[in-house]
Amino acid sequence: MTAKPVRKRTFVKDGKAEDYGLLLGYARVSKGDDQTNALQTNALRTAGCRRLFEEAASGGRWDRPELHRLLDQLREGDTVVVWKLDRLSRSLKDVLHIMERIAKAGAGFRSVTENIDTTTPAGRMMMQMVGAFAEFERAMIRERTSAGLAAARAEGRIGGRRKKLDVGKRREIAESVIAGRKSGAEMARLYNISAPTVSRIVAQHRTASA
């Protein structure tokens, strides 16, 4: 659904009109489900959202166009509103990343059902905790990477860890994505590889099968 442009609303303070942020609603149902966004959009409008971003896509997918359009248009003072937290994503890692994007934009986040609101003092404290967990996760990844490289050097291997994907695993990744059983993001998380790596594996499989 294409969202219509909405001008920032104003209020008067000390005789001067000033802009304040918009409430931007995000609604999602899984692609292929019999559900509709009606329940979510009604709740979001009741919460005060004048602008809605709606789409049908799996919560495990990162490549959701309406979500990224929303994130790209965020401005300082805006608030992202969802009906439930899992509408944002079913992946904790993706939720942390999205929260970071929202915080960097100077915006807030609100979940109607869970009563989460980062525009309040308690909510801001939660956002700080989210950021701390995200930084901890990055530090752990760096530590594991360094340990892996050190182990590789100790074994006389150059270039880091051993190749982790054998022919069978690469075929399973490609066939799962091509058949639509799993998304590229889901296979990337399952095998602990990057999304571009999954894309290359799929492209190579298509070429070999042509």
Side-chain angles (χ1 to χ4, degrees):
M1 176 178 177
T2 302
K4 295 181 180 179
V6 178
R7 296 181 61 187
K8 278 188 177 289
R9 296 160 289 177
T10 60
F11 69 105
V12 177
K13 180 180 180 181
D14 298 329
K16 180 181 178 182
E18 299 183 0
D19 289 334
Y20 68 103
L22 297 173
L23 297 180
L24 307 177
Y26 177 73
R28 179 192 64 77
V29 293
S30 295
K31 193 172 183 179
D33 281 358
D34 293 333
Q35 312 174 49
T36 69
N37 281 328
L39 176 63
Q40 297 178 53
T41 55
N42 288 339
L44 293 174
R45 289 194 178 97
T46 300
C49 296
R50 296 284 301 279
R51 189 172 187 180
L52 301 179
F53 295 79
E54 304 178 47
E55 65 188 339
S58 167
R61 296 180 63 93
W62 174 248
D63 53 338
R64 286 177 270 155
E66 287 302 302
L67 172 63
H68 286 283
R69 195 158 70 88
L70 166 61
L71 295 175
D72 289 341
Q73 294 182 23
L74 274 180
R75 297 294 181 268
E76 185 175 359
D78 290 345
T79 301
V80 176
V81 185
V82 296
W83 178 56
K84 291 179 65 177
L85 188 59
D86 65 2
R87 298 301 87 193
L88 198 63
S89 180
R90 292 188 180 279
S91 162
L92 176 59
K93 181 178 179 181
D94 288 349
V95 167
L96 291 174
H97 182 65
I98 293 169
M99 288 293 192
E100 283 190 295
R101 287 279 300 273
I102 293 173
K104 286 180 180 178
F109 172 78
R110 185 185 302 170
S111 172
V112 175
T113 302
E114 288 94 354
N115 199 28
I116 298 172
D117 187 350
T118 65
T119 63
T120 65
R124 284 191 292 273
M125 182 179 70
M126 190 201 76
M127 182 68 81
Q128 292 172 354
M129 293 174 64
V130 167
F133 278 117
E135 178 56 36
F136 175 75
E137 181 183 37
R138 285 192 293 266
M140 292 298 292
I141 291 173
R142 288 194 296 268
E143 187 174 309
R144 287 195 296 268
T145 300
S146 297
L149 291 173
R153 287 192 293 268
E155 295 175 8
R157 291 185 284 116
I158 305 299
R161 64 189 180 188
R162 294 186 180 93
K163 190 174 183 180
K164 65 166 62 176
L165 299 177
D166 57 26
V167 175
K169 291 178 181 178
R170 294 171 71 86
R171 183 171 59 251
E172 171 63 20
I173 290 171
E175 292 178 351
S176 295
V177 173
I178 292 172
R181 294 192 299 269
K182 295 285 186 180
S183 68
E186 287 172 325
M187 296 307 290
R189 284 194 292 271
L190 181 62
Y191 286 96
N192 194 26
I193 57 178
S194 67
T197 298
V198 172
S199 298
R200 285 194 296 272
I201 290 172
V202 172
Q204 290 167 1
H205 184 80
R206 290 184 189 275
T207 301
S209 302

